[in-house]
Amino acid sequence: MTISVLVMGGSHFLGRAVAVEALRRGWSVAVFNRGKTGRNPDGTHAIQGDRTNPKDLERLAGIGPWDAVIDTSGMSADVVNLATQALAEVATRYVYVSTVSVYAGWPLLPLTEDLPTLAEAEPVSGMPSDVVVSYGVDKADAEKAARAHLGRALTILRPGVILGPEEYVGRLPWWLRRVERGGRVLAPGRPEQTISPVDARDVAAFACDRAEAGREAEIFNLTSPKNHATMESFLRACIEVTGSGASLEWVDGGFLLDHGARQWTELPLWRTYPGTWAVSGVRAQEAGLVCRPLSETVADTWAWLTSGETAVDNERAAHIGMAEEKETALLAAWDAR
């Protein structure tokens, strides 16, 4: 039996990866978006509309039903409330892609799916000012809205950092371009620091798995296994694929903070808070999440970058990466310490 799936989004990065994966499985795939950014995969049935417009959602519901809806573009409670209310009766399963930022303890504490979100609790005490709590609150409230309409038909996925071809935030692309320039590269913190980003294509595969297999309300954190990668293995993979011959200069995290370096944005994937990479993905891994080597994600993203394709514009990308002159000044200060 052919499975029918509706992807909310579907024209770029994760949404496109979901649509491509569903097509690979031989499913009947519809995508719903405004048709203004990215491109819909060949073979999908494109339904153009605005998910913030109730009339467009009513029209969309009339085209159903679907065995599953996979929602990769619901960023706020009002938007998710409209969609889940409109589609609840025409979707056997609804997979909503949320974020680990919903947890009241992220990024300070180790986390599992059983801990409270920002819809249920205040941020833990001592939350740093550079953590954008409002984003987590929006997504936590969106989860709550989805539960109100979908009940047992809802699967919630909470990925951490998502990387891969077409990434629009620009974390991995910035590191690749920086390493491509060669020379001494400021490598932040400790080389052995474990990191657990996930590839968009692996998130897409797991989302499709749950669209097919989910039977009860369920929640999964999506992070790669413990010791899957380190900052050093990540940066060395960037050096290998670019062929730049760059050298890594590991600079102490405390020194960087004292000298005005902004973690997470200026130096992507580097963060000093202990819970950043301590989100358990064991439940998803036991349910079938398979994470490809980070080196493969790096290589495929480099191939995409050098193919001439570009990501869709996103305001978050403007804050990613360190200016060359600032890196030079920090390295000089490190040498002179």
Side-chain angles (χ1 to χ4, degrees):
M1 181 180 69
T2 300
I3 292 175
S4 61
V5 63
L6 168 67
V7 181
M8 301 292 283
S11 64
H12 63 270
F13 197 37
L14 178 58
R16 181 176 170 81
V18 169
V20 168
E21 173 63 21
L23 288 168
R24 187 191 68 79
R25 297 179 182 213
W27 295 2
S28 172
V29 184
V31 295
F32 179 71
N33 53 60
R34 296 177 300 168
K36 293 184 177 181
T37 59
R39 66 193 191 284
N40 298 319
D42 293 339
T44 59
H45 172 51
I47 305 169
Q48 190 166 324
D50 186 338
R51 64 176 299 161
T52 67
N53 186 326
K55 290 185 177 180
D56 284 357
L57 290 172
E58 182 180 358
R59 173 171 54 85
L60 176 64
I63 298 173
W66 292 277
D67 295 311
V69 173
I70 302 178
D71 188 347
T72 65
S73 61
M75 300 303 293
S76 63
D78 56 344
V79 168
V80 173
N81 182 65
L82 285 173
T84 53
Q85 184 176 30
L87 301 174
E89 298 301 319
V90 293
T92 303
R93 194 87 203 146
Y94 197 107
V95 179
Y96 174 57
V97 180
S98 184
T99 170
V100 298
S101 296
V102 299
Y103 289 109
W106 191 86
L108 298 184
L109 303 176
L111 297 171
T112 68
E113 291 88 348
D114 299 321
L115 292 175
T117 74
L118 292 164
E120 303 152 345
E122 293 295 317
V124 297
S125 61
M127 187 64 68
S129 60
D130 65 341
V131 176
V132 184
V133 174
S134 59
Y135 171 64
V137 170
D138 284 343
K139 294 289 274 190
D141 287 344
E143 290 184 7
K144 185 176 179 180
R147 285 193 193 94
H149 298 297
L150 297 166
R152 293 166 57 186
L154 176 65
T155 293
I156 294 173
L157 306 183
R158 294 173 179 161
V161 172
I162 304 176
L163 303 177
E166 299 189 38
E167 183 208 332
Y168 55 79
V169 177
R171 296 182 177 104
L172 175 50
W174 183 82
W175 274 118
L176 284 164
R177 290 303 189 192
R178 169 59 195 95
V179 167
E180 180 190 22
R181 293 204 316 267
R184 291 174 75 205
V185 175
L186 193 165
R190 298 177 292 108
E192 69 274 16
Q193 172 63 59
T194 56
I195 59 176
S196 53
V198 287
D199 191 293
R201 295 162 295 182
D202 298 333
V203 175
F206 189 73
C208 289
D209 287 347
R210 301 323 301 170
E212 185 174 13
R215 294 294 179 266
E216 300 290 337
E218 51 187 14
I219 300 172
F220 296 97
N221 296 331
L222 302 190
T223 57
S224 54
K226 187 177 181 180
N227 299 324
H228 191 68
T230 64
M231 280 298 294
E232 182 172 34
S233 68
F234 166 68
L235 291 177
R236 293 210 176 278
C238 292
I239 292 172
E240 181 177 351
V241 299
T242 60
S244 70
S247 62
L248 301 177
E249 183 67 37
W250 292 96
V251 179
D252 177 72
F255 178 92
L256 290 172
L257 294 177
D258 289 344
H259 287 75
R262 296 194 304 275
Q263 53 186 319
W264 207 239
T265 52
E266 280 192 314
L267 293 163
L269 305 188
W270 168 63
R271 208 169 206 172
T272 58
Y273 308 132
T276 302
W277 300 112
V279 180
S280 173
V282 170
R283 181 185 293 181
Q285 292 151 24
E286 290 178 345
L289 172 65
V290 176
C291 295
R292 70 193 67 204
L294 185 53
S295 58
E296 181 178 330
T297 302
V298 169
D300 291 348
T301 302
W302 178 243
W304 165 72
L305 274 177
T306 54
S307 72
E309 293 190 29
T310 57
V312 299
D313 291 334
N314 185 275
E315 60 182 15
R316 295 167 67 187
H319 304 288
I320 295 296
M322 178 174 284
E324 186 173 355
E325 57 271 21
K326 184 170 182 177
E327 181 188 14
T328 299
L330 283 169
L331 287 172
W334 178 246
D335 291 340
R337 71 194 185 283

